[in-house]
Amino acid sequence: MSKKHPVISVTGSSGAGTTTVKSTFDQIFRREGIKAVSIEGDAFHRYDRAAMKAELEARTAAGDATFSHFSYEANELAKLEEVFRTYGETGRGETRHYVHDDREAERWGTAPGKFTKWEAFEDGSDLLFYEGLHGAVVNDDVNIASHADLKIGVVPVINLEWIQKIHRDKASRGYSTEAVTDTILRRMHAYVHCICPQFTETDVNFQRVPVVDTSNPFIARWIPTADESLVVIRFRNPRGIDFPYLTSMIQGSWMSRANSIVIPGGKLDLAMQLIFTPMIHRLVNDARRA
């Protein structure tokens, strides 16, 4: 962990709402005059789109039906750890972008499915912000979690995760329900062994829980809305968290355990603003004093 150059890590799948979380943090940074450098988990995939397809085919032919982007070996985790460590020590580092579609290709000048070149961070940033799948990994080879000053987990309950993936992949990629189901099954091993353990390392977890029937996600016609959901917020260390203040400020919220608060789904942005603004202030003020 760094005092002089703080690192904030948000871990979770895109279906969990990490993009919404990044938008909330961007608002905080802009409002509080904090210069953040942002990196994306996709930038640290080991393979581009064509190479990943070839690797999947080779592993399937060899009898491995568990390899996916969730897997440790599908990602440059040592590189990600190096970026966290280097930034914490020096305030410097580098990143690149994975180009998903034609719109991003026009922006970055690189073909869809490819990576841009590695480029150095701009000088003078106050903190590093990561959003992706592997921001709190601890295994035999890396300890990424140890280099982050604030670790946040964002994850829906599993059936909701599946509903969101099925709808997203069918709508944006033209996949059939069967094809998406195959992807879900392929990812399950890595989800259990690579993704879930990270939420033990995170300082604050946000888990979205639908309050409508999601018992068969493979036939669900709609994704549950924010108003049809609750969000459980769990603090790894509740010391110093003003729960009476949070429950008074967030209408409809309540404490479910000594370290947990439940809020209406539509109050997620407000809750994050209330929780993280003072935390970010402390990180940045400590860094500036250092």
Side-chain angles (χ1 to χ4, degrees):
M1 293 176 65
S2 162
K3 286 291 185 183
K4 195 171 183 181
H5 305 287
V7 176
I8 298 175
S9 170
V10 177
T11 299
S13 66
S14 58
T18 52
T19 303
T20 303
V21 174
K22 184 180 184 309
S23 175
T24 298
F25 271 87
D26 286 343
Q27 291 178 47
I28 296 173
F29 298 150
R30 183 170 55 251
R31 186 183 65 233
E32 305 300 326
I34 294 168
K35 182 178 179 181
V37 57
S38 296
I39 59 176
E40 306 156 355
D42 288 358
F44 296 86
H45 288 332
R46 189 178 301 276
Y47 306 101
D48 65 18
R49 187 173 295 164
M52 185 64 176
K53 181 179 179 181
E55 185 70 14
L56 279 169
E57 290 173 352
R59 287 176 179 256
T60 300
D64 179 3
T66 66
F67 184 72
S68 74
H69 283 305
F70 287 13
S71 306
Y72 291 148
E73 60 269 32
N75 295 274
E76 300 281 6
L77 297 185
K79 174 68 173 178
L80 179 59
E81 183 181 37
E82 176 193 338
V83 170
F84 275 28
R85 181 194 298 112
T86 300
Y87 187 85
E89 294 172 352
T90 68
R92 295 185 172 89
E94 63 178 7
T95 191
R96 62 182 179 179
H97 299 279
Y98 177 77
V99 180
H100 295 87
D101 51 35
D102 290 336
R103 180 179 57 82
E104 292 185 4
E106 184 175 348
R107 177 182 180 185
W108 298 112
T110 301
K114 298 289 187 180
F115 296 104
T116 62
K117 294 180 181 179
W118 292 99
E119 294 185 357
F121 297 157
E122 291 185 15
D123 292 333
S125 61
D126 294 308
L127 57 81
L128 174 65
F129 180 86
Y130 165 91
E131 174 262 312
L133 287 168
H134 298 98
V137 167
V138 177
N139 62 23
D140 293 338
D141 299 314
V142 298
N143 188 340
I144 295 171
S146 68
H147 301 287
D149 301 271
L150 175 59
K151 299 176 289 292
I152 302 158
V154 185
V155 59
V157 294
I158 192 69
N159 279 22
L160 178 56
E161 171 88 8
W162 292 348
I163 290 172
Q164 291 179 141
K165 177 160 184 59
I166 291 166
H167 279 252
R168 183 178 66 248
D169 284 3
K170 289 175 68 176
S172 64
R173 299 174 183 174
Y175 292 177
S176 65
T177 300
E178 292 73 21
V180 185
T181 303
D182 288 342
T183 301
I184 290 171
L185 292 173
R186 174 179 286 278
R187 287 181 171 181
M188 280 307 298
H189 183 273
Y191 186 81
V192 170
H193 292 93
C194 304
I195 305 300
C196 287
Q198 296 182 75
F199 300 118
T200 305
E201 304 292 334
T202 45
D203 300 303
V204 189
N205 278 344
F206 294 80
Q207 185 170 41
R208 184 178 164 201
V209 183
V211 290
V212 294
D213 183 18
T214 61
S215 52
N216 186 349
F218 303 99
I219 63 167
R221 295 185 179 182
W222 299 280
I223 299 173
T225 66
D227 289 336
E228 295 172 328
S229 307
L230 298 172
V231 176
V232 179
I233 307 172
R234 189 273 298 177
F235 297 87
R236 186 180 187 185
N237 181 2
R239 182 177 298 174
I241 303 299
D242 191 343
F243 287 104
Y245 170 73
L246 291 176
T247 53
S248 68
M249 292 296 290
I250 305 170
Q251 187 176 4
S253 65
W254 73 92
M255 289 186 67
S256 57
R257 283 187 176 176
N259 65 345
S260 301
I261 182 173
V262 181
I263 66 169
K267 301 292 186 179
L268 177 59
D269 179 78
L270 173 61
M272 288 190 165
Q273 299 267 358
L274 294 171
I275 292 166
F276 292 125
T277 299
M279 290 184 179
I280 292 169
H281 268 298
R282 283 196 295 271
L283 285 175
V284 172
N285 288 339
D286 287 349
R288 288 172 178 170
R289 282 195 294 269

